[in-house]
Amino acid sequence: MIIEVEDLVVEYKGVQVVDHVSFSVEEGEIFGMIGPNGAGKTTTIECIEGIRENYSGSIRVLGLNPKVDRKKLYNLIGVQLQETSYQDKIKVWEICKMFSSFYANPLPYESLLNDFGLYDKVNSYVSKLSGGQRQKLAIILALIANPKIIFLDELSTGLDPQARRSMWELIKGLQKDGKTIYMTTHFMDEAEYLCNRIAIMDKGKVVAVDTVENLIKRFGLEETVVFKADELNMDEIERIAGVTSLERRGPEVCVKGREINFVNNILNYLGNNQIRYRDLKVIQPSLEDVFLKITAEKSEGM
Amino acid sequence: MKMLYNITYIEFKLFLRTFVNVFFSLVFPSMLLLIFGGIYGNEPSDMFQGHGTVDVSVPAYIAMIIAVTGIMSLPLSVSGYRERKILKRLKATPINPFYILLSQILVNFIMTVLGMVILFLVGKIVFELDFMGEFFDC
């Protein structure tokens, strides 16, 4: 366990923004935290990073307590905050050099800039960089310490799809280099693509922690088969094993079900009865469905 | 020490890149001195108990330089750093927070002294300023 959070509580003006949260992160994994706005993701990450100190509960990062071993810890972790700006009129190499001087064993920033394709911007003002370049710089600054753990808080917010993709590859690369990554995000596709394990947070509580696959399985979500057919006996389809709901809109039929052989059953039925169908697609439940289900259940209960 | 040196060096550069800072601490006082010295000259005057306009203006302008760096440049940059969460980012590094403040104090102190020296030289060279104090008189 590289990060252990136990019974973390953060109170803000009488409201528990983080409500008895416990989880742990293993070495070498990409751990993602997703949740709606105001769920407490950033507060949690800031407690672990040691930026926020007004919490109760116990946090161990690499066996260290962020409140006590601040200096030691910051040589071992790299941090990207959700929102930071840099000094006015500071140049890229200057901020890199400044950050290098803070650490005991810094990586050479020139090679980091090279790896991230920012080397030609070394003499530019930070304020003149594009959003994507600035986020890359934020990662570089997090990496200068040569950290074991990297914290990324909503890294890809505000980036265009292309920059987002290239950011994903960078993060995968970091994992290959043996770093542990703790990230928060709003984007389900990002979490699904990158994260080994995901924690879903809602209203200050961690609702579920697991792999994407297990989350989908656990919440018993349905697969959907959509196809177009002109002549169809709806009653017969409803009797196919595993079908839970059926809907017809004009020529389009939408069948939902949750058994293992459900899709097969449908295809067999269509084949055996020689029904002519077209535009058939199978929609797998995604993390987004899980997320919406969990967070919707919660708000219905209010 | 390397931390303090680097952050001070960079803050120094940033200070020099900010027009307002440079203008009000280095240029503006000398400019005022040139204008008013040009108008009134530095002849001894009864109004100033036998001292010239420039002689009494220089200490006043020095006070202005101290005010510009001390109550404008220094607090504005530190509070700006806090507002824009630069301090928060720096908190997530091993740097001692005291160094960040110290670097600002050093930069502003050096610029204050530099502004005073420039003002003094302008007064001495252009208006034959009569320096009445002791340089190292405690």
Side-chain angles (χ1 to χ4, degrees), chain A residues 84-133:
Chain A
T84 2
S85 39
Y86 303 99
Q87 286 97 322
D88 288 332
K89 311 219 169 155
I90 196 163
K91 287 181 178 172
V92 172
W93 73 269
E94 288 167 341
I95 193 143
C96 289
K97 193 172 176 202
M98 189 170 96
F99 272 76
S100 301
S101 73
F102 296 164
Y103 295 105
N105 302 303
L107 292 175
Y109 63 85
E110 291 92 347
S111 66
L112 283 172
L113 286 167
N114 231 339
D115 294 345
F116 285 71
L118 264 182
Y119 197 76
D120 51 330
K121 295 281 173 195
V122 74
N123 267 318
S124 314
Y125 289 114
V126 174
S127 50
K128 296 269 190 287
L129 296 181
S130 73
Q133 288 166 337

Side-chain angles (χ1 to χ4, degrees), chain B residues 34-67:
Chain B
L34 285 171
I35 292 171
F36 288 106
I39 296 170
Y40 301 111
N42 197 21
E43 297 308 311
S45 144
D46 285 342
M47 201 162 62
F48 299 128
Q49 275 107 44
H51 304 299
T53 306
V54 172
D55 295 341
V56 293
S57 297
V58 167
Y61 293 160
I62 282 175
M64 188 178 73
I65 298 172
I66 294 171

